[in-house]
Amino acid sequence: MSKATRQSLKLAHISVRGIVQGVGFRPFVYALAVEHNLKGWVYNTSEDVKIEVEGEAEALRQFELKLQKKAPPLAHIENITIEYYPPCGYKNFEIRHSQAQKGKYQLISPDIATCPACLSELLNPKDRRYRYPFTNCTNCGPRFTIIEAMPYDRSKTTMRHFQMCPQCQAEYNNPLDRRFHAQPNACPKCGPQVELVDNQSNLITNSNPIAAASQFLKEGKIVAIKGLGGFLLACDSTIDTAVKTLRQRKKRPSKPFAIMVSDIGEAKRHCYISSEEEKLLTSPQSPIVLMRWRKNSSASREVAPNLQFLGVMLPYTPLHHILLRDTGLPLVMTSGNLSEEPIARDNDESLRRLSGIADYFLIHNRDIYSRYDDSVAIVERGTSQLIRRARSYAPYPIHLPFNARQVLGCGAEEKNTFCLTKDNYAFVSQHIGDMENMETVQHFDSTISLYKRLFHIEPEIIAHDLHPDYLATRYAQELGKSGIKLIPVQHHYAHIVSCMADNGLDSPVIGVALDGTGLGVDGNIWGGEFLVADYRNFRRVGHLEYLPLPGGDAAIKRPYRTAIAYILTLLGENTLNAVIATLNEVKGKQSQSASIGQVSEVEIEVIKRQIERKINSPLTSSMGRLFDAISALLGIRGEIDYEGQAAVELEMAAFSSAIAKPVPSGARELDEALRQAQKSYPYRIVEDKGVRIVRLQDLLSTVIEDLQQGTSKGRISVKFHNTVARMVSEMCRLIADETGINHVALSGGVFQNRLLLRKTVSLLESSGFQVFTHRQVPCNDGGISLGQAVIANFM
């Protein structure tokens, strides 16, 4: 080599951070280096991917440019640092063994839906992986659900028990193969296998277990299927009796199920699908997407009773693809559990817990390390919003606009997640569930341990809800006995800060937190809150007026109690009697759900005494309870089977009234609904000790007038939605006039209501506000842990 040539050579030492392991990044680097005739090496560490390359200066420049611009589709590069040194004479380019580094951590890819290349092999009769249900590559397949430790190597996953055959090993060793270092790589000769058993653990002898399971599904049977993050319960969604049987056995009377269909064409036969919804459905994340349900869909209305939106997902594993093609049916796919329990994960566990639900079990011998439910999303105003954040999203972190301490946020009682912060990341867990039993608490605890281990986090602060009886609070208090600092965080403040962090905001906002329940700093139940907030503090500047909730939880489960209490408190006994008389006149038209007109005189007397004597009648400012009361008053839903049911069905009534002829676009339907019936109900805003209070007497009185005059439930519901949106807008204008703040953050489960969200955002934006809603974490209690952890960082 001449002296001039040596002088033109450069060496670059490169560190790449982000999701760059398990996504084909090292073979991409190898191919890029070979393309530009560069020498050196690349390897994984516990912290990053390290690269050292030397060659001509222009070749290095092209390499560095393409490293970021042409990275594999599943890679998420957070940061690249480059340092230059004199060349050291490398002779070739190689991929070296991974190196663990004590105390360092690496971002981890979530599980990813089957890629087109693997699907093509799966469906090709001439391919060696034809119909193999564990086909994967570096662009798809299991990731977080099989990882036990980092760096991401096969020996540290649940695939370590399967030794690759020569063909798979050759793919694994070939840097130019898309299965190079694909840790779950396998084939029918060397990989996991499927078996079919009945609910007594008896093996169903069949050379094709998936085809046999498909036949059972066609016959109306219920089959438990082991997936990526746990078992799913499946049945034919077109057979009423099959769906009803699943509901009965699962103890889930009416909470909606989702269906899985074979492809996007099939999905369009069941739902009106916008281009944004189609993009989300077919994305590598492949979540359940809630979309407008076609009336001529073959899926039974028992799948989602009384609803006009249907949850649909596409197959995201090879096993699902085979099953859906074999059955030729849209299948109910719901979490493998009894209501309120964690999803079943292991074969023995599923047979023990689900034998009373499923007739057959399609199991396999690839272990699941981390439980994951399916993610659920909607598309609003062209943007996806998560309702449940789980498979294919967690554990990807939320980026924070500050450098965080190591903090644990324990989350809420319902729809629990936890959050761990470190550096500029907030690691929000997958959906854990409702913290109502020890099985869920154990799942919560074991998943916290996993996240702490993988991301090398040892919390110095633990944040929790104010409510002393929440199991997540008790968990925090138990840990606090070791001396760790505990910080209680008000529920609705956590909601607003969660929305702020979700959007990367670091300046004060007007926060509107509308939900069902959250303990306030005054000991009452909050839920219709207007705050001025930043990461350090909040001030409650407005709320709905306090009203009694007779029986507490009993009123939540039986909204007619809430409606009766609100009428008695605001309008008196004579009005209640008149309402009962009106409802009894149209008794035949009422919902099967208990209505106010069907409540016994004895129970009404009990409710009156509870209110008068303040016996188990906590005061609430909850917007969720107001929705419940209106729903019960109209005879739509007087008793609920699942959280939020009364409010959801009230929203559906509004859609039924506002949309006469559905059109094939969810966004257009909603716009049409909002253009119609712009009328609203009156209310008053008064000020008491510097806090604005929304008085509801006039609203309730005029709703009752409409009801007595025979106005349809749907029209009343539309007017009520318009009223709440106008109420939020007016309150925000008043607060802005005092504070000068024009950023509004909307949070809380009530904003899962599409009709309300669209109308509220429209009114706020027309008033000059910049409105922020959730995108990366749910607006419901699934986002609370993020807000808790962020707030604790500033305490």
Side-chain angles (χ1 to χ4, degrees), residues 204-220:
I204 307 297
T205 304
N206 192 295
S207 60
N208 193 334
I210 301 177
S214 300
Q215 184 58 41
F216 285 131
L217 286 165
K218 290 178 185 179
E219 295 171 3

Side-chain angles (χ1 to χ4, degrees), residues 115-162:
C115 71
C118 284
L119 181 59
S120 176
E121 293 173 344
L122 182 75
L123 303 179
N124 182 0
K126 296 181 179 179
D127 194 278
R128 73 187 187 95
R129 290 188 173 89
Y130 175 58
R131 288 180 62 91
Y132 182 58
F134 304 97
T135 300
N136 68 87
C137 70
T138 54
N139 295 322
C140 68
R143 293 294 187 275
F144 192 77
T145 54
I146 63 170
I147 291 174
E148 298 178 16
M150 292 294 282
Y152 176 53
D153 291 319
R154 193 179 182 103
S155 62
K156 295 180 179 179
T157 74
T158 60
M159 283 297 295
R160 66 180 179 277
H161 305 295
F162 301 94

Side-chain angles (χ1 to χ4, degrees), residues 156-224:
K156 295 180 179 179
T157 74
T158 60
M159 283 297 295
R160 66 180 179 277
H161 305 295
F162 301 94
Q163 184 174 350
M164 284 181 279
C165 67
Q167 283 179 287
C168 286
Q169 191 68 54
E171 294 169 333
Y172 185 89
N173 292 338
N174 181 0
L176 299 180
D177 193 289
R178 80 175 197 279
R179 292 191 170 93
F180 175 73
H181 282 214
Q183 306 306 337
N185 189 32
C187 75
K189 292 181 180 178
C190 63
Q193 299 296 323
V194 172
E195 291 182 336
L196 183 65
V197 300
D198 65 18
N199 57 13
Q200 300 300 311
S201 302
N202 299 311
L203 181 66
I204 307 297
T205 304
N206 192 295
S207 60
N208 193 334
I210 301 177
S214 300
Q215 184 58 41
F216 285 131
L217 286 165
K218 290 178 185 179
E219 295 171 3
K221 303 297 185 183
I222 297 168
V223 180

